[in-house]
Amino acid sequence: MPLNPPGPLSLVPFVSVQHMMQLVVESGVERMLADLAAYIEQDFRRWEQFDKTPRIASHSSAGVIELMPTSDGVTYAFKYVNGHPKNMRSGRQTVTAFGVLADVDTGYPLLLTEMTLLTALRTAATSAVAAKYLAPANSRVMAVIGNGAQCEFQALAFKAICGIDTVRLYDIDSRATAKAVQNLIGSGLTVVPCTSAEQAVEGAQVITTCTADKQYATILSDNMVGTGVHLNAIGGDCPGKTELHRDILLRSEIFVEYPPQTRIEGEIQQLAPEHPVTELWQVITGAATGRADPRQVTLFDSVGFAIEDFSALRYVHDRIKGTALYTPLDLLADPDEPRDLYGMLLRAAA
Amino acid sequence: MPLNPPGPLSLVPFVSVQHMMQLVVESGVERMLADLAAYIEQDFRRWEQFDKTPRIASHSSAGVIELMPTSDGVTYAFKYVNGHPKNMRSGRQTVTAFGVLADVDTGYPLLLTEMTLLTALRTAATSAVAAKYLAPANSRVMAVIGNGAQCEFQALAFKAICGIDTVRLYDIDSRATAKAVQNLIGSGLTVVPCTSAEQAVEGAQVITTCTADKQYATILSDNMVGTGVHLNAIGGDCPGKTELHRDILLRSEIFVEYPPQTRIEGEIQQLAPEHPVTELWQVITGAATGRADPRQVTLFDSVGFAIEDFSALRYVHDRIKGTALYTPLDLLADPDEPRDLYGMLLRAAA
């Protein structure tokens, strides 16, 4: 059936996985992480302009599917993301995602993009932004416990944004550690594979936990965490899933993205609902204190918030302009006359 | 940069607007409306199996952007849809939409499709399903007030599913009526263009209102609605937007999709929160009474609910199997080893 080609209002730029890989490679991963961090920091500075809501989760025994919308009144964004720890067994990603940026004035999408890679990048960039404000001065050594899909992105973000030069890696599966070691050859980081979490945290000023089991787990026990340390807890993202022993939380200064969501999903679900936390955006604007003392234990209880995805989508939208890093997708019906949707069908049939 | 072709786990079937038009034309619009109605009726019969939540709306002065998720525990669906009454002035659709069906067990999307056309079709099919249970026996004449993008779909759905043979059309813009009259030539319907809403409702057993202004409006006043009539109010879909005079509601038996959402968005936002309404799915299963008397005024206060989109997505997913009515979209990252997301990037760069 011959059809008229789609009109310009019907086309939405689409960034496929292949295009996203090309974008990362052409940008350079550390440069892209730094650019994403800058976009995220910009948006955290204007946090109050955003509509905020805890993400809308659909839980099942196998995992969770979430929608994460936000808007600054001019641009709207949402991400679709799943979390299915057992996916790995069938060769699938634990976390996959895609997202959309849209124009608030018309409701028309401006961009559709893969976000599996982009989420890994924005999560690492957000962690590094938080650590820039919270980690001890002149931190050089980071432990990364959990060497799955997120591990190398964390290492490179902390190198690019926080000056980390050494990463100490541990995973209950040594093959995951070996994979990360191999991937980080030539990155400029000193990479130390470790055989226990205790060994990994030795001498580290920053400890990142990014494990994926959907259960209460104790990746770090209280005796493993000394003073003068920044904890970057990434892996908690579900009710019932935590990584840190409660005693660590009780002696940490806790920083979060959006309290109503973190209370449900983060490490602090182990604490009383009124336990004091500081919002990261307020540290960035200067309205709240970050690290007050070199001997403090700071904890970024990160669960991932929609504004970070908004920033990442905004970055990609800006970045692909004038490039060949997208394809136009015939996503929106565009009749000659807006009210004549049925006529468009009739003409297609003719 | 040469890249490996995307692996099979990365690909998600995508139905573009062009493909959807082809699907409608190849199916025949009335056949497709009847098939959609059957899918919707099936899902309304198992209403209790679904996760239900009012849609998540982001309001602005120009309109609204909404996400509509639902799941039956096996399959998850969501729709992105906007409502921007002023869009027409810039040649855009008031309502555009796209949607995704996903596998609950893996969180992986199974289908991405345009839903501007599909929403028009599923809305009309839902209206006709409701009228099948609620309209006076042997209804033959329907008034359609508001002759925009939804009008012809309503007319054809009521012909295909309810046996309507005559439609009486009115719009404040006579060009919209002329467009609908023109489009319905050859449909087998007797089409009567009218110059007032009063004229349009004369002798009609079914009255459909589908106007788009974002305001409290009185498309129908009390004296225009006699007895033995079924009202199908489509155009209300926002807080602050209604079409019917409150007095009509007070003498109607009111049927709704999902009360928590309809109380916010529907005609019944004009009534007390405890005003009795009947859920349509209970009429379909036989748990509640539909039309009890030929002289009753029944009102389907339709705002559109996520389960209808679920049904429509399920239909499209079934329908495109073995056809060329979709393209595979490289939406999901699929590394050789799931934890090696960064390695996939490295290999792309090499």
Side-chain angles (χ1 to χ4, degrees), chain A:
Chain A
M1 183 178 67
L3 291 169
N4 290 329
L9 287 177
S10 69
L11 299 176
V12 176
F14 169 60
V15 178
S16 67
V17 175
Q18 301 272 313
H19 276 135
M20 186 60 76
M21 290 201 288
Q22 216 169 331
L23 192 158
V24 180
V25 170
E26 286 184 14
S27 302
V29 62
E30 287 188 47
R31 171 63 190 277
M32 182 165 166
L33 285 161
D35 288 346
L36 280 170
Y39 272 69
I40 291 165
E41 218 175 310
Q42 276 172 15
D43 290 334
F44 271 59
R45 280 187 195 283
R46 58 191 190 95
W47 190 263
E48 288 162 299
Q49 292 172 18
F50 286 87
D51 274 349
K52 288 170 284 290
T53 175
R55 52 189 156 207
I56 301 96
S58 178
H59 292 280
S60 67
S61 57
V64 63
I65 297 174
E66 298 172 326
L67 298 175
M68 301 171 67
T70 191
S71 163
D72 68 357
V74 176
T75 311
Y76 171 94
F78 84 90
K79 179 168 82 170
Y80 169 105
V81 60
N82 76 297
H84 285 71
K86 289 177 197 153
N87 266 4
M88 211 180 67
R89 300 183 198 162
S90 60
R92 289 177 170 82
Q93 293 286 296
T94 300
V95 173
T96 63
F98 63 90
V100 167
L101 203 69
D103 179 21
V104 167
D105 266 353
T106 62
Y108 270 43
L110 301 166
L111 171 70
L112 169 69
T113 177
E114 89 81 35
M115 288 189 81
T116 307
L117 276 162
L118 192 60
T119 295
L121 289 155
R122 78 86 160 119
T123 301
T126 304
S127 290
V129 168
K132 198 172 92 173
Y133 287 91
L134 299 176
N138 305 312
S139 293
R140 290 284 174 270
V141 180
M142 174 162 78
V144 183
I145 300 174
N147 303 150
Q150 177 61 208
C151 171
E152 297 93 325
F153 297 98
Q154 288 283 334
L156 294 168
F158 277 75
K159 172 175 182 280
I161 296 152
C162 306
I164 289 291
D165 60 25
T166 300
V167 289
R168 301 174 63 84
L169 308 181
Y170 171 69
D171 195 289
I172 47 168
D173 182 348
S174 61
R175 289 168 303 179
T177 307
K179 172 237 23 169
V181 169
Q182 176 68 32
N183 283 340
L184 291 171
I185 289 175
S187 68
L189 283 164
T190 299
V191 180
V192 184
C194 301
T195 55
S196 69
E198 287 80 357
Q199 190 192 347
V201 302
E202 273 172 31
Q205 294 93 35
V206 175
I207 303 174
T208 291
T209 55
C210 44
T211 64
D213 274 337
K214 192 180 177 181
Q215 59 192 25
Y216 290 109
T218 304
I219 309 302
L220 291 180
S221 56
D222 192 35
N223 65 330
M224 289 164 64
V225 178
T227 57
V229 171
H230 175 63
L231 305 176
N232 176 43
I234 300 302
D237 56 0
C238 270
K241 174 171 172 1
T242 58
E243 297 183 315
L244 307 185
H245 193 281
R246 187 169 179 273
D247 289 347
I248 301 177
L249 308 185
L250 293 175
R251 61 188 180 89
S252 300
E253 203 65 37
I254 302 174
F255 300 84
V256 303
E257 290 140 320
Y258 180 59
Q261 183 175 300
T262 313
R263 300 265 183 212
I264 300 170
E265 301 176 3
E267 297 298 324
I268 59 171
Q269 64 185 281
Q270 302 180 68
L271 302 181
E274 66 281 4
H275 189 93
V277 299
T278 305
E279 295 187 46
L280 179 61
W281 72 271
Q282 295 194 308
V283 177
I284 292 173
T285 62
T289 305
R291 171 170 291 271
D293 184 307
R295 294 184 55 80
Q296 246 176 352
V297 178
T298 50
L299 165 62
F300 179 43
D301 186 4
S302 170
V303 297
F305 189 58
I307 293 175
E308 296 148 29
D309 299 309
F310 179 98
S311 308
L313 287 162
R314 191 166 68 78
Y315 164 83
V316 171
H317 186 247
D318 289 350
R319 174 69 177 77
I320 64 173
K321 271 177 203 151
T323 73
L325 296 170
Y326 64 94
T327 45
L329 208 63
D330 172 30
L331 188 63
L332 305 174
D334 178 27
D336 303 331
E337 207 274 313
R339 289 177 298 192
D340 201 9
L341 193 60
Y342 184 70
M344 185 176 76
L345 264 180
L346 278 184
R347 286 184 288 280

Side-chain angles (χ1 to χ4, degrees), chain B residues 204-217:
Chain B
Q205 294 95 32
V206 175
I207 304 175
T208 291
T209 56
C210 44
T211 64
D213 274 336
K214 190 180 176 177
Q215 61 191 22
Y216 291 107

Side-chain angles (χ1 to χ4, degrees), chain B residues 8-14 109-112 326-332:
Chain B
L9 287 177
S10 70
L11 299 175
V12 176
F14 169 60
L110 301 167
L111 171 70
L112 169 69
Y326 66 93
T327 47
L329 208 64
D330 171 30
L331 187 63
L332 304 175

